[in-house]
Amino acid sequence: MKLLILTSRFPYPLDKGDKLRIYYQVRELSQYFEIILVSITDKIPDKEEYAELAPYCKSIYPIKLGRIRSAANTLWSIVSISKLPAQCAYFYSDIIRNKIGSIISAEAPDHIYCQLLRTSEYIKGLNIPKTMDFMDAFSTGASMRADKGHLIQRWFWKREASLLRKYESSISKEFDNLTIISRLDRDRLKDIENIQVVNNGIDARFFIEEKAEAQYDAVFVGNLGYYPNVRAVGYISEYILPAYEASYKKSLKVNIVGPNSSNVKTWESNHLNIGGWYDNVIDGFCSGRIFLAPLFEGIGQQNKILEAMAIGIPVVTTPDVAKALGMEHGNQLLVANTARSFSDCIHQFLTDKDFTIGMVDRARRFVSLNYEWHAVC
């Protein structure tokens, strides 16, 4: 059976959550289907990147996305009366639609699997069984940003949230099956029925037996080109570090790990190191004794939390992140929603060894039992 998978990024390297999710899904699903991978990408993969997917795919079709055309499409969607959300307009092109149509005609897939709303315009009207992975409730993410920034930013995100809500509802009718990462996000899309929760998974390589000694008190890992992650770094610098010093009369040292680190350089200091991207991301995780994740706008399911837990690093995060993962405060992780509560949780992990060991053990068992790529795929 032929399964055509349509993505808005080439699934390698694994430096973004959507790429990580689809990479492991391709690997697992290739055991049951002939995979035809079609990836819209602003950078054609090199030989090494291509080689990472080749063993799992019958055919691979990277399609170049022209940034100038995409920017123009996005601008037109904003200034016109277009009902297409800006992020969908950015990834849409009639030229690409024709290319995808030709690939579908040539390959004759039995089923089409679209990752994210932004790819769904390309398969509208096709009389082929179809599945779409929402991944996250993007309309909710846009709404969370609608009260941030200057007037134009607030106007844009309010408009985008409205368009996304309508588009999520209308485009869902094109698909036979719908999936999403977490129950929390499924509940946010209240007017759309029959969305199945398909969790993210965890790669066995993160279940290491021994890890290097941490150089920092805490670490945060994430794509630093993604707004919620940028805000998390700012919150650590401007609120958590001062709160900890005020409460405990000592300073924390925090390492920030991830691609696009130039977006957060302004917060670099003696106490906040911008470590950038590690060739082996496990080394990045292991640089801190605690995984600190003040994610207030996060939607979906945070794989970095699962990875930290698998490695054996205790986690402090926000209530919504814990809820999306099905975890409880004081059981698998600690939950905080203010700078003071974050600093208290950090202090407990740093000073209570037995408490921390127990938390790490419970978290690793929970991840091993509930989040594994073979099972969720």
Side-chain angles (χ1 to χ4, degrees):
M1 184 174 179
K2 291 184 179 180
L3 176 64
L4 187 143
I5 298 179
L6 177 59
T7 72
S8 59
R9 292 190 180 99
F10 191 76
Y12 204 86
L14 306 181
D15 53 2
K16 291 181 172 65
D18 59 325
K19 294 165 73 173
L20 183 146
R21 179 171 170 85
I22 200 66
Y23 172 80
Y24 284 106
Q25 288 182 344
V26 166
R27 276 185 29 166
E28 294 295 333
L29 293 172
S30 68
Q31 299 176 52
Y32 310 97
F33 305 97
E34 289 186 357
I35 303 294
I36 302 143
L37 177 63
V38 181
S39 292
I40 302 164
T41 176
D42 57 8
K43 173 186 171 291
I44 297 298
D46 60 30
K47 290 181 180 178
E48 289 76 15
E49 293 165 349
Y50 190 95
E52 288 288 340
L53 274 298
Y56 313 111
C57 299
K58 171 185 175 289
S59 308
I60 299 177
Y61 298 94
I63 301 177
K64 187 77 163 63
L65 180 71
R67 290 189 176 185
I68 295 176
R69 181 184 292 273
S70 294
N73 287 348
T74 306
L75 181 61
W76 178 247
S77 76
I78 294 170
V79 301
S80 70
I81 59 171
S82 170
K83 296 182 180 179
L84 197 62
Q87 73 157 275
C88 296
Y90 180 87
F91 286 93
Y92 184 78
S93 157
D94 286 334
I95 295 172
I96 293 177
R97 183 184 181 94
N98 291 335
K99 289 181 180 178
I100 292 173
S102 296
I103 293 167
I104 291 171
S105 295
E107 294 282 0
D110 299 289
H111 200 100
I112 296 175
Y113 176 41
C114 293
Q115 187 190 45
L116 296 170
L117 285 172
R118 59 184 66 150
T119 63
S120 58
E121 276 294 300
Y122 290 113
I123 55 77
K124 283 173 70 173
L126 291 179
N127 189 26
I128 300 172
K130 298 181 286 291
T131 295
M132 178 176 64
D133 184 20
F134 279 108
M135 277 191 62
D136 309 329
F138 276 86
S139 57
T140 300
S143 293
M144 289 176 175
R145 297 185 66 173
D147 60 348
K148 304 292 191 303
H150 53 65
L151 184 62
I152 295 176
Q153 287 176 321
R154 292 197 299 271
W155 170 84
F156 170 79
W157 287 111
K158 183 177 180 179
R159 178 182 183 275
E160 184 74 355
S162 177
L163 290 175
L164 280 166
R165 275 192 294 270
K166 294 173 183 175
Y167 189 75
E168 285 165 341
S169 180
S170 64
I171 199 65
S172 65
K173 297 176 177 63
E174 290 277 340
F175 291 87
D176 302 274
N177 312 290
L178 301 165
T179 63
I180 202 162
I181 292 180
S182 74
R183 289 180 178 84
L184 179 63
D185 278 285
R186 182 187 62 188
D187 294 344
R188 285 164 169 166
L189 300 179
K190 297 176 182 177
D191 62 329
I192 304 174
E193 298 179 353
N194 301 321
I195 305 177
Q196 285 188 267
V197 175
V198 177
N199 293 321
N200 271 342
I202 186 72
D203 184 357
R205 71 190 173 104
F206 285 95
F207 289 94
I208 58 176
E209 293 303 317
E210 295 183 10
K211 59 180 186 291
E213 186 174 348
Q215 301 169 288
Y216 298 87
D217 298 307
V219 63
F220 174 76
V221 179
N223 172 21
L224 302 173
Y226 182 48
Y227 174 77
N229 292 341
V230 173
R231 191 189 171 207
V233 175
Y235 190 85
I236 292 169
S237 174
E238 296 173 12
Y239 296 98
I240 294 176
L241 293 181
Y244 190 89
E245 189 160 4
S247 295
Y248 299 105
K249 310 306 177 188
K250 60 188 298 186
S251 299
L252 286 174
K253 288 195 172 182
V254 180
N255 192 27
I256 306 299
V257 175
N260 305 304
S261 59
S262 60
N263 292 305
V264 298
K265 274 289 185 182
T266 184
W267 288 298
E268 190 165 32
S269 68
N270 291 334
H271 307 299
L272 190 75
N273 181 63
I274 309 300
W277 183 244
Y278 285 58
D279 289 335
N280 182 352
V281 71
I282 292 176
D283 293 338
F285 277 102
C286 293
S287 66
R289 293 172 60 189
I290 299 165
F291 191 83
L292 181 56
L295 294 160
F296 294 98
E297 275 103 358
I299 52 176
Q301 189 182 74
Q302 301 296 332
N303 236 56
K304 48 183 166 276
I305 304 295
L306 301 177
E307 291 167 346
M309 288 179 168
I311 291 167
I313 303 169
V315 173
V316 187
T317 191
T318 52
D320 276 357
V321 172
K323 185 176 180 181
L325 292 164
M327 298 181 184
E328 298 176 346
H329 172 71
N331 194 350
Q332 301 89 6
L333 43 63
L334 292 181
V335 171
N337 57 11
T338 66
R340 176 61 189 269
S341 61
F342 266 103
S343 65
D344 290 344
C345 291
I346 293 166
H347 188 70
Q348 186 169 11
F349 275 142
L350 290 176
T351 58
D352 191 335
K353 184 177 180 180
D354 291 339
F355 174 82
T356 303
I357 290 172
M359 184 78 71
V360 165
D361 287 344
R362 288 192 298 275
R364 290 192 93 182
R365 285 199 300 272
F366 186 88
V367 170
S368 179
L369 287 171
N370 295 282
Y371 294 99
E372 192 273 323
W373 279 117
H374 176 72
V376 300
C377 285

